[in-house]
């Protein structure tokens, strides 16, 4: 099968491509800008440059493909909701024009709430789902909550805040009581590949791990895996907008992205229709949260010049561990010591 991965150079896409190659699919990898990184699999795919906001360009980039995996979601632009709608409309149209038999979208779990009670981040995800559902082909949306893996945006926010807040960590009460089902990127990649091949399944499925836990329990699980001594204290007077701004300045993840994600943490993110019940379990079963975190922390980050450290395993390599860091992960996902961070946060004289 010839599969187009729209957003192949992104976090999930760079780990999905090697899984598709392992399954003997031909891969068309689309990108908005020429990738600055030579992925281990770069020479094994056909790269096509496309601006998803350009309808004609999207049709051209998706020509002669059998299936499309759509992984684009913008949070770093103030107008991301409009841009996401425009891009989704172009992809839905193109899927019909090129005659693709399958369209899979990787979305987020959307709580069963009135639209006015959803964050812009979650509302945008839902709008994109609804637009893609109009494509003239078989469409399946996979919804996930937090994706656990080195380089994942949500994982890096957790990792960096855990390291930088010190021993006693204050956690907003509205966030600490929420229940989530994090999924390892390894399992997310497995279910995306399965979804592309199982064209008879439509609608939506929830991609989750085997554990249900609160954000407080998640932070404690991370601290244990990272061998950090941390105590979490719930704080009642913590407005969402203030928490979002503080978090955006505490970590290296771009502030607009963090500020868009934080409001979603007040909702439960649990499965309504578990993908494992429909698509089956991966070989060996899904990773627990503790195991996913442990594997994400087990290897050193690859060097900025593209050469891996002696004990590093590129997470985007065919046969590599998707939980591991990759040469293509953004600079803000790379290790910095607390001292380095403090130096960077101090005003220059």
């Amino acid at each position: 099968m010839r599969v187009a991965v729209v957003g192949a150079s992104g976090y999930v896409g760079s780990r999905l491509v090697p899984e598709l190659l392992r399954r003997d699919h031909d891969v068309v990898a689309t990108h908005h800008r020429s990738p600055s990184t030579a992925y281990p699999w770069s020479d094994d795919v056909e790269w096509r440059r496309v601006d998803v906001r350009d309808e004609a360009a999207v049709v051209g980039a998706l020509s002669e493909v059998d299936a499309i995996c759509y992984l684009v979601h913008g949070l770093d632009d103030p107008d991301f909701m409009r841009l996401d709608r425009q891009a989704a409309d172009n992809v839905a149209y193109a899927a019909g024009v090129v005659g693709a038999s399958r369209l899979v979208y990787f979305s987020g779990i959307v709580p069963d709430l009135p639209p006015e009670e959803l964050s812009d981040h979650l509302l945008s995800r839902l709008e994109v789902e609804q637009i893609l559902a109009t494509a003239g082909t078989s469409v399946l949306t996979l919804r996930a909550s937090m994706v656990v893996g080195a380089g994942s945006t949500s994982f890096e926010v957790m990792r960096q805040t855990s390291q930088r807040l010190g021993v006693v960590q204050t956690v907003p009460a509205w966030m600490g009581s929420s229940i989530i089902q994090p999924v390892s990127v390894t399992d997310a990649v497995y279910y995306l590949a399965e979804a592309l091949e199982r064209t008879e399944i439509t609608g939506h499925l929830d991609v989750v791990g085997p554990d249900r836990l609160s954000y407080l329990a998640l932070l404690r699980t991370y601290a244990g895996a990272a061998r950090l001594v941390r105590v979490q204290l719930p704080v009642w007077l913590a407005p969402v907008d203030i928490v979002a701004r503080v978090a955006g300045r505490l970590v290296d993840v771009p502030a607009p992205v963090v500020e868009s994600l934080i409001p979603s943490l007040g909702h439960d993110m649990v499965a309504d229709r578990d993908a494992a019940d429909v698509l089956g379990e991966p070989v060996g079963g899904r990773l627990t949260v503790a195991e996913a975190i442990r594997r994400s922390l087990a290897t050193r980050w690859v060097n900025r010049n593209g050469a891996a450290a002696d004990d590093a395993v590129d997470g985007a390599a065919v046969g590599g561990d998707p939980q591991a860091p990759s040469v293509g992960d953004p600079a803000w996902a790379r290790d910095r010591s607390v001292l380095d961070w403090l130096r960077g946060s101090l005003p220059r004289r």
Side-chain angles (χ1 to χ4, degrees), residues 42 64 76 91 93 115 117 132 136 173 198 203 221 232 239 245 249 270 276 283 303 322:
S42 288
E64 300 181 337
D76 53 356
V91 171
Y93 171 73
E117 295 184 28
L132 293 177
R198 304 277 290 276
T221 301
Q232 291 79 28
R245 286 199 297 272
R249 286 152 182 77
V270 296
V283 176
N303 299 328

Side-chain angles (χ1 to χ4, degrees), residues 186-199:
T186 299
D187 293 332
V189 162
Y190 168 81
Y191 284 115
L192 281 167
E194 286 291 308
L196 286 163
E197 296 174 347
R198 304 277 290 276
T199 59

Side-chain angles (χ1 to χ4, degrees), residues 85-312:
R85 286 192 296 267
Q86 180 183 358
D89 189 62
N90 290 339
V91 171
Y93 171 73
V97 171
V98 304
S101 60
R102 185 59 156 172
L103 173 58
V104 173
Y105 172 51
F106 192 55
S107 183
I109 290 180
V110 181
D112 186 18
L113 295 170
E116 60 271 16
E117 295 184 28
L118 295 174
S119 67
D120 288 348
H121 162 59
L122 293 177
L123 184 58
S124 178
R125 290 287 203 177
L126 184 59
E127 288 178 343
V128 170
E129 285 186 30
Q130 294 167 343
I131 293 170
L132 293 177
T134 66
T137 188
S138 170
V139 182
L140 176 63
T141 294
L142 295 185
R143 297 175 174 176
S145 57
M146 177 181 182
V147 176
V148 177
S152 160
T153 300
S154 50
F155 178 80
E156 288 306 317
V157 171
M158 177 176 68
R159 182 178 73 87
Q160 293 174 22
T161 54
S162 293
Q163 290 177 337
R164 295 171 184 176
L165 281 178
V167 175
V168 178
Q169 301 178 335
T170 56
V171 179
W174 53 264
M175 185 181 78
S177 60
S178 301
I179 304 299
I180 60 170
Q181 280 185 275
V183 63
S184 69
V185 68
T186 299
D187 293 332
V189 162
Y190 168 81
Y191 284 115
L192 281 167
E194 286 291 308
L196 286 163
E197 296 174 347
R198 304 277 290 276
T199 59
E200 75 280 6
I201 302 170
T202 59
H204 86 267
L205 295 174
D206 298 317
V207 175
V208 294
D211 301 320
R212 291 191 180 203
L213 68 173
S214 68
Y215 280 103
L216 277 176
L218 176 61
L219 290 172
R220 289 166 183 160
T221 301
Y222 176 86
R227 298 182 179 180
L228 299 173
V229 178
R230 297 291 185 267
V231 177
Q232 291 79 28
L233 297 178
V235 176
W236 294 100
L237 297 177
V240 175
D241 56 340
I242 293 178
V243 172
R245 286 199 297 272
V246 171
R249 286 152 182 77
L250 179 66
V251 300
D252 297 334
V253 181
V257 175
V258 179
E259 292 173 14
S260 297
L261 287 174
I262 292 296
S264 304
L265 303 184
H267 304 298
D268 289 345
M269 296 286 183
V270 296
D272 172 57
R273 191 181 181 208
D274 194 333
D277 295 335
V278 180
L279 298 174
E281 292 274 358
V283 176
R286 290 171 288 177
L287 296 182
T288 65
V289 171
E291 177 64 10
I293 293 173
R294 186 192 65 77
R295 279 172 49 176
S296 301
L297 298 174
T299 53
R300 289 171 54 193
W301 294 84
V302 294
N303 299 328
R304 288 294 291 143
N305 62 8
D310 292 340
D311 58 348

